[in-house]
Amino acid sequence: MPELSILGSLAPYHIITYGTLLGSSVFQSFIGGPVAFKALPRAQFSSLQSAIFPIYFSLGTVLPVLLAWTYPAAKSLTGISLQSGFSGVFAKHNRLDVLAPIATTFAIHFVNLTYIGPQTTNIMKLRKHQETRDGKKSHDPAPHSPEMQKLNRKFGIMHSVSASLNLVALAATV
């Protein structure tokens, strides 16, 4: 009968968690988002992203915690079993190589989930209302009202910050 003791180890769950985090980040950043942007009209794309981002950033917040929880024990070169789980992640020798990337990924997704995402969504709603007042879409060619210019600038900043932080989180994950 095959050895099933690996299922009692944290290692397979750690690998599945890591693969889910990395795979969802790569897919959303380089496949799902860009393809949807090219394939969908702007309003539908915005609606889709508004629905996906809370889920994506929630995953990016929860999965690093699961990574830390499932951190597998290892054996040192001297044969001593090293700590697993949270204690292994927080161990002094793991703070730079293990804790820092996990904490970075968690923090970035948490900020995107709780602050940047909601702020960006709010700016999108304000732009929609301004479009009604101006009788012109936010993405139509210039000129735009001063209010729309301000909202477009705010949206561009928030979008750039979110996208840049997402790439930092992806780099930390890798």
Side-chain angles (χ1 to χ4, degrees):
M1 178 161 194
E3 181 64 40
L4 297 177
S5 65
I6 189 69
L7 298 178
S9 164
L10 293 174
Y13 308 106
H14 186 75
I15 291 169
I16 290 167
T17 302
Y18 177 74
T20 303
L21 178 61
L22 181 61
S24 63
S25 294
V26 168
F27 181 82
Q28 178 60 26
S29 300
F30 300 110
I31 300 168
V35 169
F37 181 74
K38 291 176 185 171
L40 296 173
R42 190 176 296 257
Q44 284 80 7
F45 172 73
S46 294
S47 189
L48 175 67
Q49 294 299 81
S50 293
I52 287 177
F53 278 150
I55 297 166
Y56 171 66
F57 292 132
S58 293
L59 272 174
T61 302
V62 170
L63 290 175
V65 175
L66 290 176
L67 273 178
W69 184 39
T70 61
Y71 184 74
K75 291 202 186 241
S76 69
L77 295 176
T78 59
I80 298 170
S81 184
L82 302 174
Q83 298 168 312
S84 65
F86 290 116
S87 58
V89 170
F90 284 96
K92 189 174 184 177
H93 63 278
N94 282 335
R95 288 188 184 149
L96 183 62
D97 295 339
V98 179
L99 177 60
I102 289 174
T104 299
T105 302
F106 168 83
I108 287 172
H109 284 283
F110 182 76
V111 167
N112 263 324
L113 175 66
T114 60
Y115 180 73
I116 295 173
Q119 288 294 317
T120 305
T121 300
N122 187 50
I123 293 168
M124 288 169 50
K125 288 177 185 174
L126 293 172
R127 285 197 321 176
K128 194 72 176 152
H129 292 304
Q130 191 62 43
E131 287 176 352
T132 302
R133 287 191 287 275
D134 293 351
K136 185 176 188 176
K137 300 283 185 194
S138 62
H139 53 86
D140 285 345
H144 288 286
S145 68
E147 295 83 8
M148 184 60 81
Q149 289 175 9
K150 183 178 176 184
L151 290 169
N152 282 344
R153 194 174 314 110
K154 281 183 177 181
F155 177 82
I157 290 168
M158 294 304 281
H159 181 268
S160 296
V161 168
S162 179
S164 298
L165 287 175
N166 190 53
L167 289 177
V168 171
L170 179 58
T173 301
V174 172

